[in-house]
Amino acid sequence: MKKKLNISLEDELMLKVKFYATKNHISVTKIVEDYLTNITQGITKRQLAKMPKEWTPNPADNLEEIKESYFQYQAKKYGFKI
């Protein structure tokens, strides 16, 4: 199953990528997909299973609680002491 991924690029880089894609008759999505497939070839399913789950906010929390929860998640992820 395919999922969407939004990325931000500098204007000049995006123009270059679109030029390359048009010249080579491929989509920007295909360029990105091929590149990501190439750089992740050595990653195993076992490694993926060990990957920590992403932080997701609790919709019932207010904005301050969400900010605090995210801060704690980032601190733990990067090894900061709170």
Side-chain angles (χ1 to χ4, degrees):
M1 174 195 306
K2 292 196 176 206
K3 296 202 176 211
K4 289 188 176 199
L5 172 69
N6 293 318
I7 60 172
S8 297
L9 302 173
E10 293 292 331
D11 290 340
E12 185 177 343
L13 177 58
M14 190 61 184
L15 288 173
K16 288 178 179 180
V17 170
K18 286 181 177 182
F19 177 82
Y20 177 89
T22 302
K23 184 178 174 185
N24 291 282
H25 307 286
I26 57 176
S27 68
V28 172
T29 297
K30 181 70 174 145
I31 293 169
V32 172
E33 185 176 29
D34 288 351
Y35 176 73
L36 294 176
T37 298
N38 187 14
I39 66 170
T40 60
Q41 282 180 345
I43 298 174
T44 65
K45 287 184 181 181
R46 177 176 278 174
Q47 289 171 309
L48 290 176
K50 292 180 181 178
M51 188 173 85
K53 303 297 179 224
E54 286 296 316
W55 172 84
T56 53
N58 180 348
D61 288 346
N62 66 37
L63 184 56
E64 289 305 313
E65 291 170 327
I66 291 172
K67 286 179 183 179
E68 180 62 25
S69 172
Y70 184 70
F71 177 76
Q72 289 176 6
Y73 165 77
Q74 290 287 48
K76 183 177 179 184
K77 181 178 178 180
Y78 294 107
F80 298 128
K81 303 250 185 221
I82 299 178

